[in-house]
């Protein structure tokens, strides 16, 4: 013969089940939180490694009190510019890098930070008592009101390009002024009068 549980026993059993469910839910939530925290930590490590190990220089800015403020740089920026960029942290872009004040760059960087507009230029020439060279730059938003300018020194490439243009002009001038007729053969074996 089966004995029916009393009302109090049923309430006690329900309360135990409720407690077991709450403990299980708490453990599951803690597990989810732990996994999310672990993922976030791995993501943060990856993010820092990308910045620290990038061969491209990176300058970070934030919009603060209607000014574009230098927030930091990666090690490649120090190597490429041959300076310690930490001296500029907290300064407005026009104060940190005075030659940029009269260019479109502060405007473009602000657009990137505030509106998320990607900006790219193949060459910025920069020259002051600390930094000199030509740089290609890509600027983009990282989070609202923050941006990064990723840059590479192309000074040597530009010097070589200018040298090639100069040599080509010199060669062309020499050929045009020779008192003889010059023939050239193209890749198809066709003679061309020069």
């Amino acid at each position: 013969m089966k004995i029916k549980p009393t009302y109090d026993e049923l309430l006690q059993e329900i309360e135990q089940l409720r407690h077991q469910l709450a403990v299980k839910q708490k453990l599951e939530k803690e597990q989810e939180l732990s996994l999310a925290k672990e993922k976030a930590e791995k993501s943060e490590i990856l993010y820092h490694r990308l910045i620290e190990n990038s061969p491209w220089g990176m300058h970070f800015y934030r919009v603060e009190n209607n000014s574009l403020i230098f927030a930091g740089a990666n090690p490649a920026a120090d190597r490429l510019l041959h300076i310690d960029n930490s001296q500029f942290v907290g300064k407005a872009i026009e104060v940190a890098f005075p030659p940029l004040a009269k260019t479109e760059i502060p405007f473009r960087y602000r657009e990137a930070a505030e509106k998320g507009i990607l900006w790219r230029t193949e060459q910025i020439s920069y020259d002051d008592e600390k930094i000199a060279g030509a740089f290609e730059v890509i600027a983009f938003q990282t989070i609202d009101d923050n941006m990064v300018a990723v840059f590479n020194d192309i000074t040597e490439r530009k010097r070589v390009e200018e040298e090639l243009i100069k040599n080509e002009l010199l060669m062309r001038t020499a050929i045009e002024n020779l008192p003889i007729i010059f023939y050239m053969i193209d890749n198809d074996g066709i003679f061309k009068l020069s």
Side-chain angles (χ1 to χ4, degrees), residues 30-82:
E30 286 174 355
Q31 229 175 6
E32 285 177 23
L33 191 60
S34 177
L35 287 173
K37 185 178 177 183
E38 187 179 316
K39 271 183 158 180
E41 287 171 355
K42 284 181 180 178
S43 180
E44 185 76 15
I45 290 168
L46 175 64
Y47 171 75
H48 282 290
R49 284 186 182 162
L50 284 170
I51 291 171
E52 295 298 310
N53 297 321
S54 172
W56 284 63
M58 295 181 187
H59 278 176
F60 299 90
Y61 292 89
R62 69 180 177 280
V63 177
E64 186 177 288
N65 298 326
N66 211 26
S67 291
L68 193 61
I69 305 298
F70 186 82
N74 71 341
D78 289 350
R79 283 191 306 276
L80 290 170
L81 301 179
H82 308 287

Side-chain angles (χ1 to χ4, degrees), residues 98-152:
L100 299 181
K102 294 185 186 332
T103 69
E104 69 176 320
I105 294 166
F107 172 76
R108 297 295 183 178
Y109 283 12
R110 282 184 69 108
E111 273 191 327
E114 293 174 336
K115 299 176 183 172
I117 297 173
L118 176 79
W119 182 67
R120 179 186 184 132
T121 184
E122 291 185 18
Q123 182 179 341
I124 292 175
S125 294
Y126 189 93
D127 193 7
D128 69 9
E129 65 274 359
K130 298 175 185 173
I131 304 166
F135 304 90
E136 64 181 314
V137 178
I138 302 169
F140 57 92
Q141 185 182 58
T142 52
I143 58 174
D144 288 347
D145 291 333
N146 288 263
M147 57 81 57
V148 61
V150 180
F151 61 91
N152 194 26

Side-chain angles (χ1 to χ4, degrees), residues 178-190:
L178 284 174
I180 59 172
I181 297 176
F182 234 107
Y183 289 97
M184 294 171 62
I185 300 174
D186 69 12
N187 289 340
D188 297 323
I190 298 174

